[in-house]
Amino acid sequence: MKKITFIIFFLITSFSFSQNLNASKAHSKTTVEEYNYMTRGYKIQISSGLDMKSGYSFDNLGTIIKGNYSFNFQILKRNELKEMAGILIIANSKVSGKTYYLALPFNNDILLSHFESDINRWDESMTTAFVQAMSELTSKMIFNCQLFTEN
């Protein structure tokens, strides 16, 4: 069941994010450096009070709470090119007390497999909450981008 839910999640996510916020830049690819910044560097930056990575900024998509879990979604943007580099997901579990820093990469299958591996380490209740949060976010983004129009 976990694998099926995960596949559905990726189909929905791939569609919405590839069509979304900046369609002309949908072919940009998340680099290893950007992925590492989102999964490791951002946490160090915040805990040490350091400045934002030069040349980048975040657009906050919001936080979604599902039961004992919260998920904050932020788009990492390349300032000069005005394009998206990936999505930082800060997941917090009240059950374990842990905070996880994940990166949803764009157009990079190798990094996407790392993202999948990170999620597969979670227990089923956190994974389920994550899929629910992603579904809610996807639905809001599709509505906000007006991909579908009324007849």
Side-chain angles (χ1 to χ4, degrees), residues 52-118:
M52 179 71 194
K53 181 174 177 61
S54 180
Y56 291 87
S57 62
F58 280 111
D59 281 348
N60 192 359
L61 293 174
T63 299
I64 298 174
I65 299 170
K66 294 292 176 185
N68 290 318
Y69 308 99
S70 67
F71 305 93
N72 178 263
F73 300 92
Q74 299 183 40
I75 298 172
L76 178 64
K77 290 176 40 179
R78 299 178 187 114
N79 293 336
E80 188 173 316
L81 300 173
K82 297 185 182 190
E83 65 184 8
M84 298 180 295
I87 298 179
L88 169 64
I89 303 163
I90 303 169
N92 183 274
S93 169
K94 289 182 184 175
V95 175
S96 69
K98 292 182 180 178
T99 299
Y100 303 90
Y101 294 82
L102 303 157
L104 178 57
F106 296 139
N107 299 312
N108 190 321
D109 292 338
I110 294 169
L111 296 178
L112 187 59
S113 69
H114 293 299
F115 174 75
E116 292 169 1
S117 294
D118 289 343

